[in-house]
Amino acid sequence: MGVRLDHGDGDLAETHEINVTPFIDVMLVLLIIFMVAAPLATVDTPVDLPASTATPQPRPDKPLFLTVKADQSLVLGEAPVERAALGATLDQTTNSDRGQRVFLRADRSVDYGALMDVMNALRAAGYLKVALVGLDAGTPP
């Protein structure tokens, strides 16, 4: 019985192809990370809106939301704003376009007086087009 000690010429053959398997693995991991992280990137101010039976109006491309939170603090878009600086902040956001509609959202627990104070501040700043935002309660009875 003989044993062969020679296993070829001893040089390993070089391959001139790119191994794309690790690249595909990395891309799939990145895809999953972005799929999970993308919904988390959209931050919205949580507020418990009351329901409305009014016919919904078409929403503009870039609406300007002013939110009155439960603790009566104000949020313009997603940035908190002080009540005293509301007019200046609105002017800066709208480029002093006082004809732009401001969508006013308020938590269900905010009392009517606090909501009227915010509406008076909007009127004093020159913003007269104010739309109240509510949840759709369906068709009126």
Side-chain angles (χ1 to χ4, degrees), residues 81-94 98 121-122 124-127:
V81 62
E82 294 295 327
R83 211 172 280 257
L86 179 61
T89 307
L90 280 168
D91 286 340
Q92 182 182 9
T93 304
T94 64
R98 291 194 169 101
L122 286 171
Y127 292 89

Side-chain angles (χ1 to χ4, degrees), residues 55-61 63 101 103:
T55 306
Q57 297 296 316
R59 185 174 175 178
D61 292 334
R101 186 174 307 275
F103 291 88

Side-chain angles (χ1 to χ4, degrees), residues 13-32:
E14 293 182 10
T15 58
H16 299 285
E17 298 174 3
I18 297 174
N19 186 3
V20 296
T21 305
F23 177 71
I24 293 172
D25 290 344
V26 168
M27 293 307 291
L28 288 175
V29 168
L30 288 175
L31 176 68
I32 291 171

